Amino acid sequence: GDSVTQMEGPVTLSEEAFLTINCTYTATGYPSLFWYVQYPGEGLQLLLKATKADDKGSNKGFEATYRKETTSFHLEKGSVQVSDSAVYFCAPPRGGNNRKLIWGLGTSLAVNP
Amino acid sequence: DTGVSQNPRHKITKRGQNVTFRCDPISEHNRLYWYRQTLGQGPEFLTYFQNEAQLEKSRLLSDRFSAERPKGSFSTLEIQRTEQGDSAMYLCASSSGQVTVNEQYFGPGTRLTVT
C-alpha cells in the first residue's frame, strides 16, 4: 500500500544551521506532494507543495523538490531560526483516487539560539 | 476567508459520557476530513466527506464514533460512551477539488480529555 517514510526526530540545530528533513514515499502515479508544519499548541499549516515531478515548492525560506526518480521530497532550509522550531510532516496523497493524505510521525525540530 | 473553525477548543468529560464536536470548514470547500492526533504522532484519518456524502470511514473507527455533514457545510463528530483511550486532539480539515487531492486546511483542533 501507499506509505511515507520520514526522517526521525528530534532534530536539534543551532540558529543559522542548514536543515534537511528527508521524506520518501510510495504511491500510485505521481501525485501532488505537501509539507505541513505544526507549531507548538497549534494546528497543522501547509508549508509548501509541489504538484508534479521536478517541481520545487518554496515558502518562508524552506524548499522541497519533487524527485520522481527517487520518490523523494526532502525539505531544506539554508539558515534556520528559533521560530522554525516545530513538527514537520511530509504528506503525499494516497494513490488511486488521491483523496487522502498519508501522515507519518512527523519530525520534531528544535532550534537553539 | 476565516479559515476552518472548530468548537469547542477543549472538552473534559467523564468516561461513559457522550461528546459532540463541531467543524465549520472554509465556505467554498466541498471536502471535509476528520483526524485524531495523539502526542508525538501524526494525524490519524477518521472519516471524509465530499459535500454531504460520507465517502470513507476508517476501520479503526469503532461504532461509538459517528460523523455527519447534513447540508454539506459544517460537520459534527460524536463519540458515544467515551473511553480514556479516546483522549486526543480531534482535527478537522477542508479542501476543494473533485478528483485529485488538493491541500488541506486545518482547524485549531478540539482537545478531548476523558477522565
Side-chain angles (χ1 to χ4, degrees):
Chain A
D2 298 332
S3 64
V4 60
T5 301
Q6 187 174 336
M7 176 175 153
E8 287 188 16
V11 174
T12 302
L13 296 173
S14 297
E15 206 164 22
E16 299 184 1
F18 184 86
L19 169 70
T20 299
I21 301 178
N22 292 337
C23 172
T24 57
Y25 66 92
T26 60
T28 303
Y30 304 107
S32 299
L33 304 178
F34 307 93
W35 275 99
Y36 282 79
V37 59
Q38 188 170 31
Y39 297 103
E42 298 184 14
L44 283 87
Q45 302 174 25
L46 177 68
L47 180 60
L48 55 82
K49 71 174 183 179
T51 57
K52 60 184 185 296
D54 298 326
D55 252 6
K56 177 184 284 188
S58 61
N59 185 28
K60 299 182 181 179
F62 290 89
E63 293 183 341
T65 301
Y66 188 153
R67 304 282 187 199
K68 184 177 67 174
E69 63 278 6
T70 55
T71 63
S72 65
F73 193 50
H74 305 322
L75 182 68
E76 296 181 336
K77 186 173 185 181
S79 176
V80 293
Q81 306 300 312
V82 172
S83 57
D84 294 326
S85 299
V87 181
Y88 293 83
F89 292 92
C90 178
R94 192 181 73 175
N97 61 21
N98 284 326
R99 287 179 176 164
K100 298 190 313 189
L101 297 178
I102 307 165
W103 298 95
L105 295 178
T107 301
S108 175
L109 170 67
V111 180
N112 297 321
Chain B
D1 182 0
T2 57
V4 179
S5 62
Q6 291 186 247
N7 289 288
R9 294 291 306 277
H10 303 274
K11 179 71 177 178
I12 300 174
T13 191
K14 293 183 177 179
R15 189 175 53 189
Q17 297 296 304
N18 299 344
V19 295
T20 300
F21 309 142
R22 176 178 171 126
C23 172
D24 288 89
I26 293 172
S27 58
E28 63 269 24
H29 284 181
N30 59 338
R31 293 180 176 173
L32 187 146
Y33 303 78
W34 284 100
Y35 296 91
R36 178 170 61 189
Q37 186 179 26
T38 54
L39 194 62
Q41 303 294 314
E44 176 186 17
F45 172 78
L46 295 179
T47 190
Y48 146 65
F49 292 85
Q50 181 153 317
N51 300 312
E52 67 275 8
Q54 187 174 19
L55 296 187
E56 192 166 349
K57 186 175 177 180
S58 169
R59 284 173 290 182
L60 299 173
L61 218 57
S62 75
D63 290 343
R64 298 185 298 106
F65 287 73
S66 63
E68 295 183 343
R69 195 184 183 197
K71 298 182 179 179
S73 57
F74 74 91
S75 175
T76 57
L77 177 68
E78 181 183 17
I79 308 174
Q80 296 181 328
R81 304 181 303 283
T82 52
E83 302 172 356
Q84 287 188 323
D86 297 332
S87 294
M89 176 75 85
Y90 289 83
L91 300 171
C92 176
S94 69
S95 72
S96 60
Q98 293 296 328
V99 179
T100 59
V101 70
N102 293 325
E103 57 268 32
Q104 296 182 6
Y105 294 86
F106 282 81
T110 295
R111 182 168 296 283
L112 173 66
T113 303
V114 182
T115 62

